[in-house]
Amino acid sequence: MRVSDVISDRDQLNPDTDLDVALLVRELSNSADIEVLIVSLDSILSDDAAEDNLTLESRDELVVLSDYQDRADVLAPYMENLKRQASIDALPAIVRSGGTVRFPGEYPLVKGMSVGDLINLSGGLIESAYSQSAEISRLDLSNPNIARFIDLVSDLTRSASTC
């Protein structure tokens, strides 16, 4: 079974559904730990052979978002789970968005996630946003003796910039 077997037509969705981004929340190894994957419903509905049309596993949850709902609130239970999964060897798989996005807050950090994915997950840019670049701050903990912040500027006109 694939995502397109669950959602095969736009008519199954509310008119305010955000087709650019949905989340697939997957339990890991019969535990309470999760991983989060991003899928594009628009891509899946346009082509059921799309890469986003993931194979579903037992206990997967598909989280479909509205254009008008505060995503940080909707995703808060999943964020708490990801925070709980943190250990001495691994930080939680969380990223924060802020500034001129519609719904700033904490979101799951997905493997291979781009800055554009985070902006979409955050509801997109507000009308007054500068849409050419974004500032990214990273916490570098590679040296156990010192933590440091790294500030980067990402060119939003290139879609491949990663978080």
Side-chain angles (χ1 to χ4, degrees), residues 96-110:
R96 287 182 184 87
S97 70
T100 54
V101 293
R102 290 181 61 211
F103 304 109
E106 292 183 331
Y107 293 95
L109 178 60
V110 177

Side-chain angles (χ1 to χ4, degrees), residues 76-122:
Y78 304 108
M79 303 311 300
E80 290 304 315
N81 194 324
L82 289 170
K83 288 177 186 177
R84 184 191 50 74
Q85 290 175 215
S87 68
I88 194 139
D89 297 328
L91 293 172
I94 291 174
V95 64
R96 287 182 184 87
S97 70
T100 54
V101 293
R102 290 181 61 211
F103 304 109
E106 292 183 331
Y107 293 95
L109 178 60
V110 177
K111 191 178 291 185
M113 181 182 220
S114 70
V115 174
D117 291 335
L118 179 58
I119 291 170
N120 283 339
L121 195 52
S122 302

Side-chain angles (χ1 to χ4, degrees), residues 29-160:
S29 308
N30 291 323
S31 71
D33 290 350
I34 60 170
E35 75 172 325
V36 180
L37 307 165
I38 294 177
V39 297
S40 165
L41 294 177
D42 191 42
S43 172
I44 293 167
L45 292 171
S46 299
D47 177 14
D48 63 2
E51 186 176 314
D52 283 336
N53 194 11
L54 300 174
T55 301
L56 299 174
E57 295 179 8
S58 176
R59 302 179 60 83
D60 279 354
E61 285 183 56
L62 186 61
V63 181
V64 177
L65 302 167
S66 163
D67 283 327
Y68 305 110
Q69 72 188 136
D70 187 338
R71 285 108 187 272
D73 284 347
V74 171
L75 299 177
Y78 304 108
M79 303 311 300
E80 290 304 315
N81 194 324
L82 289 170
K83 288 177 186 177
R84 184 191 50 74
Q85 290 175 215
S87 68
I88 194 139
D89 297 328
L91 293 172
I94 291 174
V95 64
R96 287 182 184 87
S97 70
T100 54
V101 293
R102 290 181 61 211
F103 304 109
E106 292 183 331
Y107 293 95
L109 178 60
V110 177
K111 191 178 291 185
M113 181 182 220
S114 70
V115 174
D117 291 335
L118 179 58
I119 291 170
N120 283 339
L121 195 52
S122 302
L125 298 172
I126 62 173
E127 190 175 312
S128 63
Y130 180 67
S131 61
Q132 301 300 305
S133 66
E135 183 178 322
I136 302 169
S137 293
R138 291 186 177 151
L139 179 58
D140 179 6
L141 298 172
S142 59
N143 180 343
N145 297 319
I146 188 166
R148 52 181 213 150
F149 279 98
I150 299 171
D151 292 320
L152 307 165
V153 175
S154 176
D155 182 355
L156 293 180
T157 61
R158 294 185 355 212
S159 61

